[in-house]
Amino acid sequence: MIKKGTKRSRSSEQLSPVSCDTHLQTFTDSAVKVASVEDLLIQILLHVPVKTLMSFKCVSKQWLSLITNPHFVCLRNPLFPSASASAIFFASSSSKRSNPDYQFIPLDVDECSAPFKSLDFINDPLGSGVSVLQSCGGLLLCASYRAGEINRRYYVYNPTTGQFNTLPQISREYSKYVCSMSLAYDPGKSPYYKVVCVRRSETCRQLFQIEIYSSETRLWRVSGQPFTPPIYTEFQNSIFWNGSVHWWNGSVHWWNGFVYGAARNDKRRESFTLYFKVEEERVEQLQMPRTPWYRIASYVGESEGHWHLVERYSDFNSVFNVYELERDYSGWFMKYQVDLSDLTILFPEIRSKLYRYTVNIISLVRKGKKDKEDGSFLVLEIPGGIIRYNLVDKSVKKLLEFAHDRKFYNDDCLRHVSALSYIPSLACV
């Protein structure tokens, strides 16, 4: 016989309210102690994703001060996305009366949400909207859309934080001579960025002068003496062709793709291009790879601290050579050789009736540490969409399919997409 009172109720097995409060209080006290040790708190926050950090700024004034501190921003950037883009984006459409819309393609396993579709962070006084010219270290260099140079406004914008800075105009007497604006920013070295302006000399159209804006001083100043660039050097950025200006290894590079594939017996053309070492404020020449004259450059760009050039024989050949530049500029070496002919099995539209290969290289993305680069891939535009092609295991993944709107395609059935990298950043502007 079971005696009364010997059966244990389910509720008696649970912790009493006092017990729960005790455990919660102990946990809270531990959290307070951790938060009070600033060095320990910084180490924890350094490993928190940027999107979460943006929310953490609301926790307290102490956390807000820590997260927005330039020293914290410099500490965190080398650890996370500063070395690797989480997405690429490009101008997908525009009209004569409005600024362009942008299409984002995530590159990470965990898809990132697009930080913007169009740029509406400011009502540009010219009434033409704002477009992106360059992406650098998580910041965007933007400009008035469809505006003459003498009236154009330039902005540095952080799409992660929503902050922006309107750059002061250079002297008005020189503004009509502006050819290029380039953003120079290394978040691992300094919280400050610079903007490099190339303009024609007021005394001679064949001479060019550099001026530099610093976010530290908020002023423009003339740098060095006027110089003469190689013929056909392309300084100007454009929202639909962002392949002319690149930031890598502490230097602004101006690409000269038109002359790269020129015949060697043509004395008017050169086999080198220019770059500007920002800290030394010195213009240097970069010798291009010594390859046959009939090869053409299809892509140049940076990924995870590596500078690449991709070349091909012609549109009738499926073979691409991928070169990498030594960090000391001592020379180029071939990193990959890629044959895209196998892609015609999956995407027969790549091969036209004229036996041409209709492909546009949008980006080369390095993935992996040291020698383990099994994740490195090309982002390619093909008729009707964008695909990802792994450089090691040859796997293919379709990233985006375009709407069938003929007005956006060129004669090769490509939109000729020119992409920029998106990197989440806490940088102040």
Side-chain angles (χ1 to χ4, degrees):
M1 180 181 294
I2 300 176
K3 296 182 179 180
K4 293 182 179 181
T6 60
K7 184 178 179 180
R8 298 179 63 187
S9 66
R10 181 175 299 178
S11 60
S12 66
E13 296 177 352
Q14 299 176 355
L15 294 174
S16 66
V18 176
S19 172
C20 287
D21 289 344
T22 302
H23 282 277
L24 179 61
Q25 185 62 44
T26 302
F27 176 80
T28 303
D29 291 343
S30 299
V32 170
K33 289 179 181 179
V34 169
S36 65
V37 181
E38 192 167 281
D39 289 342
L40 181 57
L41 178 59
I42 289 175
Q43 291 303 314
I44 294 173
L45 294 178
L46 283 174
H47 293 79
V48 174
V50 169
K51 187 175 181 180
T52 306
L53 282 175
M54 296 299 295
S55 302
F56 281 1
K57 291 196 296 184
C58 302
V59 171
S60 67
K61 291 183 178 180
Q62 179 200 15
W63 285 37
L64 173 64
S65 177
L66 283 177
I67 295 170
T68 57
N69 187 290
H71 178 65
F72 176 83
V73 174
C74 284
L75 284 175
R76 190 196 181 284
N77 272 308
L79 294 179
F80 277 86
S82 64
S84 179
S86 61
I88 57 174
F89 68 98
F90 56 90
S92 59
S93 64
S94 68
S95 67
K96 292 183 178 180
R97 295 184 179 181
S98 64
N99 53 334
D101 291 336
Y102 291 89
Q103 176 75 53
F104 278 76
I105 300 179
L107 299 178
D108 291 341
V109 176
D110 299 324
E111 294 190 359
C112 67
S113 57
F116 59 87
K117 182 178 180 181
S118 62
L119 296 178
D120 56 1
F121 60 86
I122 190 172
N123 184 15
D124 187 76
L126 302 181
S128 59
V130 178
S131 62
V132 182
L133 296 183
Q134 184 190 355
S135 171
C136 183
L139 301 181
L140 304 181
L141 178 63
C142 307
S144 304
Y145 185 51
R146 298 188 184 277
E149 191 59 55
I150 194 169
N151 295 316
R152 181 170 292 151
R153 300 290 190 273
Y154 289 92
Y155 310 91
V156 176
Y157 173 55
N158 186 334
T160 305
T161 64
Q163 296 178 327
F164 71 92
N165 175 33
T166 304
L167 301 183
Q169 287 186 294
I170 64 172
S171 301
R172 189 165 180 81
E173 59 182 308
Y174 300 141
S175 59
K176 62 181 178 181
Y177 299 114
V178 171
C179 299
S180 170
M181 291 282 190
S182 308
L183 188 59
Y185 176 53
D186 188 340
K189 293 183 178 180
S190 171
Y192 303 107
Y193 60 85
K194 295 180 180 179
V195 178
V196 178
C197 170
V198 179
R199 62 172 175 80
R200 294 187 182 273
S201 170
E202 66 277 14
T203 59
C204 178
R205 288 187 59 82
Q206 282 69 45
L207 293 176
F208 290 78
Q209 178 67 62
I210 289 177
E211 294 196 31
I212 298 177
Y213 170 85
S214 170
S215 64
E216 184 176 13
T217 64
R218 304 284 173 173
L219 297 172
W220 286 100
R221 62 177 177 82
V222 174
S223 172
Q225 298 298 316
F227 64 97
T228 303
I231 190 171
Y232 302 124
T233 298
E234 190 66 49
F235 289 120
Q236 186 63 55
N237 264 343
S238 165
I239 66 161
F240 293 108
W241 171 241
N242 302 103
S244 299
V245 183
H246 303 270
W247 164 256
W248 176 71
N249 200 21
S251 301
V252 173
H253 297 74
W254 298 291
W255 180 236
N256 196 346
F258 178 77
V259 305
Y260 173 63
R264 297 298 188 241
N265 58 359
D266 189 341
K267 302 300 182 183
R268 296 173 302 168
R269 301 181 179 183
E270 306 289 346
S271 59
F272 60 85
T273 186
L274 292 183
Y275 64 97
F276 179 67
K277 304 185 75 170
V278 175
E279 292 302 318
E280 293 87 342
E281 298 189 20
R282 189 172 69 247
V283 176
E284 297 281 359
Q285 294 183 358
L286 171 61
Q287 180 72 46
M288 306 313 296
R290 296 184 179 277
T291 57
W293 64 268
Y294 45 81
R295 297 191 69 87
I296 58 176
S298 299
Y299 169 83
V300 287
E302 178 272 344
S303 180
E304 291 203 357
H306 302 276
W307 180 255
H308 303 108
L309 179 148
V310 183
E311 62 170 21
R312 63 193 297 191
Y313 285 102
S314 69
D315 291 341
F316 297 93
N317 194 292
S318 63
V319 177
F320 292 80
N321 289 339
V322 179
Y323 291 92
E324 184 174 322
L325 181 63
E326 299 283 2
R327 289 192 65 84
D328 61 359
Y329 292 88
S330 59
W332 299 83
F333 61 93
M334 189 182 296
K335 185 67 178 178
Y336 304 101
Q337 188 169 65
V338 185
D339 188 345
L340 299 180
S341 58
D342 290 343
L343 286 180
T344 58
I345 299 174
L346 294 174
F347 306 102
E349 60 270 27
I350 292 177
R351 192 81 178 269
S352 69
K353 294 180 180 179
L354 297 175
Y355 298 100
R356 297 176 61 185
Y357 286 86
T358 308
V359 177
N360 172 38
I361 301 175
I362 298 176
S363 184
L364 191 158
V365 181
R366 290 283 284 267
K367 289 289 186 181
K369 298 179 180 179
K370 296 182 180 180
D371 296 330
K372 298 179 181 179
E373 295 169 8
D374 55 329
S376 299
F377 58 89
L378 286 172
V379 181
L380 305 171
E381 179 192 2
I382 63 174
I386 294 177
I387 63 174
R388 167 176 172 161
Y389 177 80
N390 190 288
L391 288 166
V392 179
D393 64 19
K394 316 303 181 186
S395 60
V396 180
K397 178 182 179 182
K398 195 156 191 176
L399 299 177
L400 182 67
E401 188 169 346
F402 291 137
H404 296 285
D405 193 336
R406 295 295 302 176
K407 69 179 180 179
F408 290 115
Y409 291 91
N410 61 19
D411 293 338
D412 294 324
C413 296
L414 295 178
R415 292 192 176 188
H416 202 79
V417 168
S418 182
L420 297 168
S421 62
Y422 168 67
I423 301 173
S425 171
L426 296 171
C428 298
V429 296

